[in-house]
Amino acid sequence: MRSILFAFVRYLLLLIPILGKFPSIQAKDIHITQSQPETHSITRQEMQSDPGEQIIVKGTFRGYPSANGYIGKQAGGGLIRPEDSVRSLSTVSSDFIHKQAPTSNVYNLISLLPGANVSGSDPFGLATQTDMTVRGMTSDSIGYVLEGMPLNDVSDGGGYLNQFVDMENLESVGLSQGSPDLDSPVFNAAGGIVNIKFREPSDHLGGMTQFSYGSYHTGKIFARMDTGKIGKTGIKGFISYSYTDGDNWRGAGYDHRQHVDFKFTKEWGSDNRVSLLGNWNRSLMSSYYTPTKHEWKMNGIKNGNNYSGTWYHNGIDNSNYWKLYQQTFQQIYLATPGQFTLTDKLQFTVTPYFQYGYGNTPYGAMLSDRGLWQGTLPVEGSISIPGAVDGQGMVMGDWFQRTYRSGFTPELHLRLKHHHLYLGYWYDYSDNLINEPFTPVSENGKPWDLWGGKGKTIRLPDGQPLYARDTSIITQVNAVFIGDRMNFLHNKLHIDVGFKQVMLSQAGYNRIPGPQYRTGNNVAKPLPRIGMVYQFTKEHQLFVSASTNFSVPHQSTLFDTYDPNSGTLTKKGTNHLKTEYSIEEEIGYRYNGPRLVGSVTFFNYNYTNRMIKTVLRQNNAWIGSSINAGGQTSRGIDAELGLKPWHHFSPYISGEYLNATMDNDFKTRGDYLPTRGKKAVRSPSWQFAIGLTYDDGHFFANGNMKMVGKQYATFMNDEAMGSYATGNLALGYRFDSISFAKYPEIRLNFINITDQKHLSGIGTPTSNAHNTVGKNGTVIKGSSPYYNIGGGFATMLTLTSAL
């Protein structure tokens, strides 16, 4: 942290000579290029020696030069752009991205888009306890793709988007609220897809440095180098490094994150291109406590709803101590998308990828030194637990996950007069290991080893580790798809038809003693689709689509688990949970005029075997899982509207109305809860967002606000989370280049400017919060949902310069 402060002060001193200069945009900032549909035409008149003669030069405004490239020309301040997809699609672009706090994750960036209901746990976007629903669909039913490479966690389908990219390297993030493209490499995208795109490497040697510091001692250093074109190879690329450090905004704890992004490209001939891109990430994040509704009303954000900052001695239960809830994770992700022109009509594309991830999500637990169980097998003798008192010792329960994943997506594209035919195949292989040993804790509460791998876990008398879980699962996906993108009426009418057959197999192994050793699941799903776009005038467009998608249950649902203190079966594994299947229809209208860009979409979803994401508490560990809630129907309207820059102003507005209801009574404990017709959990009936951007090339400002309606937390609708509204503000100034510093910039971000104290999302929905009589007369005991607390007010100052 001291290194960040030292570098920050040095950088501020370097900029002091610049702060007094406020020049105007110069002629060099106007670039004459060929006219493009999304740019604003300008005219520059140059008077010749003969006053009656003049030359009119027409060109396009690329935007204002900045350390992050040319910005300031996008509609809605970068929150909307013209689209031509047969399905709903909203995109956040660089004008908005590069005005946000540098620690923001992808969820933060798309939170203002229609349908995106983001639940955060800290103001800066660092916490892993961040989630999102889209039109009522949870994050494990949404696909996440980085330039053709899937990012979803293979274990629970979630998207941990704070791990994959630094926002300084983003060109755009697209949210398809309805369904993914036919060739998207995802098998759990019943609720749409998020497509992430890196910036393109620069043609010239250069770079960028950035220093940020803000509330809660949070700082970030970022540096990027662009190679430019390397000799005569035609290769160009960038590589960046960032270090982020800060304290938790509430309760004890801190975060560390190191991250590397890179992308290298080579283009040649007629539309041939190969890229190598990826990232490396290593982080330690302190978790935030998730309270019940009662705890929230009693304590708010105070210590009662935080992990304990004090380690108690004398045998007191310290399972709530914050150092036992520090999450570690490291990863390497690589992809090499390629595009090759075989003939003037035939093209081949392929995206191979490889991924490695390893981390720990620990928790605090009390463990006995004798009378233990390894699954269903009693442990003979006693074990050694440092610090044990009266046969009971405080330990850290580990949740280690190690994943290897690889795959590729080859495609052939044949372009004819009115057809674009494509045939492709997707293969994906993942090997996912999860084990749950126990680690001793020092006298001051510090765990002996957060990362594992050093042999410091608690051992049985025979020398083997004591496990609460030891499972592995190999998942293979084979998918074949074929499609045709047709165009008629002089390219005014586009019809897209396609079919995808997905075959998924899971082979699981449970190494804990007990009746279950091998388990698994096999799924084969046909996924037809059709869509149409009709551009009936230059500005007006209609689109309609119908598609099918599916999601599989979490891997944790397959395995039996046991309490090591008693040998009790805590959860019965099953491979009979049915796969979620959805049929989705959309009809919409888009407008792209001289000043306005907008769209409105009507949607209807019908789900069978709706998989509800939840978190189960097993042996004091929070385990991601899913609940089959039966059928669900979701209907509603999405809309967004943005103004292209006018007198440097670019406002934006979006909204959604959603009516999501359960179609079946919920089966539980041999009875049925009367849930038919109840509102679906995590499905607010309304959401609205507004944004306003001003950017004259030097001074810029961006303000936005998001309002979210009430959300039910139980299937019985007997407990809900209230509505809330939060707002953010960014102010900044860009200077002209001076010496080696190109377009230095100073920016101040204000997050949750009203310091709204609110619950931001439902972490663990339940069937019923209060005791309820089932349809057959059984009293079904209620259980309280747990909630995420939204981040409080925070500020961050950022200094940026290109080199």
Side-chain angles (χ1 to χ4, degrees):
M1 193 69 252
R2 290 180 180 176
S3 61
I4 289 179
L5 289 173
F6 181 72
F8 178 82
V9 172
R10 286 189 60 189
Y11 197 76
L12 185 60
L13 292 174
L14 285 174
L15 286 181
I16 287 176
I18 307 172
L19 298 179
K21 300 184 178 183
F22 294 84
S24 59
I25 296 294
Q26 302 175 6
K28 67 180 179 180
D29 298 331
I30 305 298
H31 295 257
I32 308 303
T33 63
Q34 293 183 345
S35 179
Q36 298 177 3
E38 296 180 24
T39 56
H40 307 296
S41 180
I42 62 172
T43 300
R44 175 157 53 95
Q45 297 182 353
E46 298 179 356
M47 302 303 296
Q48 305 299 313
S49 57
D50 180 355
E53 180 183 356
Q54 64 182 21
I55 297 175
I56 299 177
V57 182
K58 292 186 176 180
T60 58
F61 175 54
R62 295 179 61 188
Y64 304 111
S66 76
N68 287 297
Y70 289 88
I71 62 178
K73 71 172 184 178
Q74 297 164 353
L79 284 166
I80 190 172
R81 72 179 186 187
E83 306 286 359
D84 58 6
S85 171
V86 298
R87 289 168 289 279
S88 60
L89 176 62
S90 300
T91 303
V92 174
S93 304
S94 57
D95 274 13
F96 179 78
I97 293 171
H98 298 309
K99 292 181 176 71
Q100 307 313 300
T103 56
S104 301
N105 61 50
V106 171
Y107 283 135
N108 300 141
L109 298 176
I110 63 178
S111 63
L112 301 177
L113 300 182
N117 175 29
V118 173
S119 165
S121 296
D122 76 306
F124 289 120
L126 297 174
T128 59
Q129 294 155 288
T130 303
D131 206 353
M132 179 176 70
T133 64
V134 175
R135 296 177 178 174
M137 296 297 294
T138 49
S139 60
D140 56 337
S141 293
I142 300 169
Y144 306 95
V145 176
L146 172 62
E147 299 201 23
M149 175 171 56
L151 302 178
N152 293 75
D153 187 288
V154 298
S155 176
D156 61 14
Y160 301 99
L161 299 184
N162 62 331
Q163 300 170 352
F164 296 112
V165 62
D166 273 326
M167 60 158 285
E168 293 86 350
N169 296 321
L170 285 174
E171 178 181 306
S172 64
V173 182
L175 171 63
S176 179
Q177 295 93 339
S179 60
D181 292 330
L182 188 67
D183 57 356
S184 296
V186 290
F187 57 80
N188 62 325
I193 193 167
V194 175
N195 278 299
I196 304 169
K197 182 172 176 56
F198 273 146
R199 64 183 287 274
E200 285 299 302
S202 173
D203 290 335
H204 306 287
L205 178 67
M208 189 187 89
T209 59
Q210 183 170 271
F211 297 87
S212 304
Y213 187 76
S215 303
Y216 315 111
H217 308 292
T218 302
K220 180 178 179 179
I221 297 174
F222 174 87
R224 181 177 65 226
M225 184 188 74
D226 277 281
T227 66
K229 292 188 176 179
I230 303 174
K232 297 182 180 180
T233 65
I235 298 173
K236 59 181 180 179
F238 75 80
I239 184 168
S240 71
Y241 170 81
S242 70
Y243 176 80
T244 307
D245 180 274
D247 294 335
N248 279 18
W249 80 274
R250 63 179 178 89
Y254 55 85
D255 301 322
H256 294 307
R257 176 181 182 264
Q258 296 186 79
H259 188 86
V260 173
D261 288 329
F262 60 89
K263 182 177 182 179
F264 290 83
T265 66
K266 177 177 173 58
E267 298 177 346
W268 72 94
S270 176
D271 208 17
N272 295 289
R273 175 186 174 95
V274 172
S275 300
L276 171 65
L277 59 93
N279 60 64
W280 170 83
N281 188 88
R282 182 179 174 89
S283 60
L284 184 153
M285 301 291 175
S286 297
S287 298
Y288 289 96
Y289 183 81
T290 53
T292 64
K293 190 73 172 289
H294 175 72
E295 290 173 327
W296 169 248
K297 290 179 178 179
M298 290 288 293
N299 299 304
I301 64 171
K302 297 179 181 178
N303 286 336
N305 284 333
N306 296 314
Y307 287 114
S308 173
T310 304
W311 176 261
Y312 299 99
H313 298 278
N314 303 321
I316 297 176
D317 185 348
N318 286 297
S319 58
N320 215 35
Y321 185 55
W322 73 273
K323 287 187 179 181
L324 306 179
Y325 295 86
Q326 295 176 283
Q327 300 179 42
T328 60
F329 196 78
Q330 59 182 352
Q331 67 183 36
I332 298 175
Y333 277 37
L334 299 170
T336 57
Q339 178 177 293
F340 309 94
T341 299
L342 305 180
T343 70
D344 59 346
K345 296 180 180 179
L346 187 64
Q347 191 175 65
F348 174 71
T349 65
V350 62
T351 304
Y353 56 86
F354 168 80
Q355 301 171 0
Y356 164 78
Y358 175 80
N360 185 16
T361 305
Y363 57 93
M366 294 294 292
L367 199 65
S368 301
D369 64 3
R370 61 182 64 248
L372 294 171
W373 294 74
Q374 183 87 295
T376 58
L377 186 66
V379 175
E380 299 294 335
S382 62
I383 64 172
S384 174
I385 304 177
V389 177
D390 296 330
Q392 295 285 317
M394 190 70 239
V395 298
M396 183 180 73
D398 298 295
W399 179 270
F400 289 117
Q401 179 175 348
R402 188 270 299 148
T403 302
Y404 291 103
R405 186 180 189 185
S406 59
F408 61 98
T409 52
E411 298 179 47
L412 277 174
H413 296 258
L414 178 63
R415 290 175 171 84
L416 304 175
K417 184 176 181 181
H418 295 293
H419 299 269
H420 174 186
L421 299 165
Y422 57 104
L423 172 67
Y425 169 69
W426 173 42
Y427 176 75
D428 184 272
Y429 176 93
S430 65
D431 181 353
N432 189 52
L433 170 70
I434 293 177
N435 55 46
E436 199 175 343
F438 298 89
T439 298
V441 178
S442 301
E443 291 182 358
N444 61 0
K446 183 179 180 180
W448 284 15
D449 184 14
L450 277 169
W451 285 92
K454 297 181 181 179
K456 294 185 178 180
T457 58
I458 289 177
R459 301 278 168 167
L460 298 174
D462 63 1
Q464 297 299 310
L466 172 65
Y467 285 119
R469 175 189 299 256
D470 187 13
T471 64
S472 64
I473 187 165
I474 293 174
T475 302
Q476 296 187 74
V477 180
N478 289 270
V480 179
F481 52 90
I482 184 170
D484 187 5
R485 298 166 184 158
M486 298 167 274
N487 66 86
F488 305 101
L489 304 179
H490 304 287
N491 281 327
K492 292 183 178 179
L493 175 64
H494 295 263
I495 300 174
D496 192 348
V497 297
F499 178 83
K500 189 174 188 176
Q501 178 68 40
V502 181
M503 294 152 286
L504 180 146
S505 66
Q506 296 174 315
Y509 300 89
N510 190 350
R511 297 179 181 85
I512 292 292
Q516 182 194 57
Y517 171 67
R518 182 164 182 170
T519 183
N521 193 17
N522 291 286
V523 176
K525 289 293 180 182
L527 304 174
R529 60 175 56 202
I530 185 170
M532 180 191 75
V533 173
Y534 180 48
Q535 191 81 40
F536 56 93
T537 71
K538 183 180 178 180
E539 295 87 11
H540 303 279
Q541 182 185 105
L542 290 174
F543 67 94
V544 61
S545 68
S547 58
T548 56
N549 282 288
F550 81 107
S551 293
V552 297
H554 291 195
Q555 291 183 3
S556 64
T557 61
L558 293 170
F559 298 103
D560 296 342
T561 57
Y562 301 88
D563 184 343
N565 279 309
S566 64
T568 304
L569 180 70
T570 56
K571 184 184 73 65
K572 178 65 177 175
T574 178
N575 57 2
H576 298 303
L577 278 180
K578 296 181 179 179
T579 301
E580 178 179 277
Y581 194 79
S582 64
I583 301 174
E584 307 157 4
E585 299 99 14
E586 292 182 319
I587 182 169
Y589 161 78
R590 298 188 183 108
Y591 175 77
N592 179 22
R595 286 294 174 195
L596 293 173
V597 178
S599 70
V600 59
T601 305
F602 299 85
F603 58 87
N604 177 69
Y605 292 8
N606 288 282
Y607 301 94
T608 56
N609 302 306
R610 173 75 171 90
M611 305 306 300
I612 304 293
K613 178 181 178 180
T614 189
V615 181
L616 304 178
R617 193 159 193 170
Q618 298 173 15
N619 302 328
N620 218 34
W622 292 104
I623 311 302
S625 188
S626 49
I627 304 171
N628 190 328
Q632 180 176 312
T633 300
S634 299
R635 297 187 176 109
I637 305 171
D638 282 343
E640 59 179 337
L641 181 67
L643 178 71
K644 296 177 181 179
W646 178 76
H647 296 283
H648 310 303
F649 285 97
S650 304
Y652 171 83
I653 185 170
S654 73
E656 178 183 81
Y657 168 75
L658 173 65
N659 182 31
T661 57
M662 299 180 66
D663 296 339
N664 305 102
D665 293 327
F666 180 69
K667 185 178 181 180
T668 180
R669 302 178 188 178
D671 205 337
Y672 290 87
L673 283 171
T675 57
R676 183 183 180 91
K678 300 288 186 181
K679 295 287 186 180
V681 297
R682 297 194 183 103
S683 302
S685 296
W686 57 267
Q687 299 182 68
F688 295 103
I690 56 174
L692 178 62
T693 299
Y694 177 88
D695 194 334
D696 65 8
H698 287 303
F699 175 74
F700 61 89
N702 171 261
N704 58 74
M705 183 171 65
K706 181 67 178 282
M707 296 152 281
V708 182
K710 181 176 73 172
Q711 303 174 57
Y712 286 106
T714 66
F715 300 165
M716 280 298 298
N717 293 175
D718 56 355
E719 187 170 298
M721 189 188 87
S723 60
Y724 68 91
T726 57
N728 304 318
L729 178 65
L731 300 171
Y733 194 88
R734 302 185 199 97
F735 303 90
D736 272 348
S737 300
I738 180 170
S739 184
F740 63 89
K742 298 180 180 178
Y743 309 109
E745 172 185 307
I746 183 170
R747 181 170 79 251
L748 188 60
N749 290 97
F750 301 88
I751 303 166
N752 190 4
I753 54 177
T754 61
D755 197 17
Q756 174 86 346
K757 304 296 192 300
H758 65 292
L759 297 176
S760 66
I762 301 154
T764 59
T766 62
S767 58
N768 53 305
H770 307 291
N771 293 349
T772 304
V773 178
K775 300 191 77 171
N776 297 332
T778 305
V779 176
I780 299 172
K781 187 178 179 181
S783 57
S784 297
Y786 292 87
Y787 300 85
N788 292 332
I789 298 177
F793 171 74
T795 63
M796 177 163 279
L797 177 67
T798 300
L799 303 175
T800 305
S801 179
L803 302 173

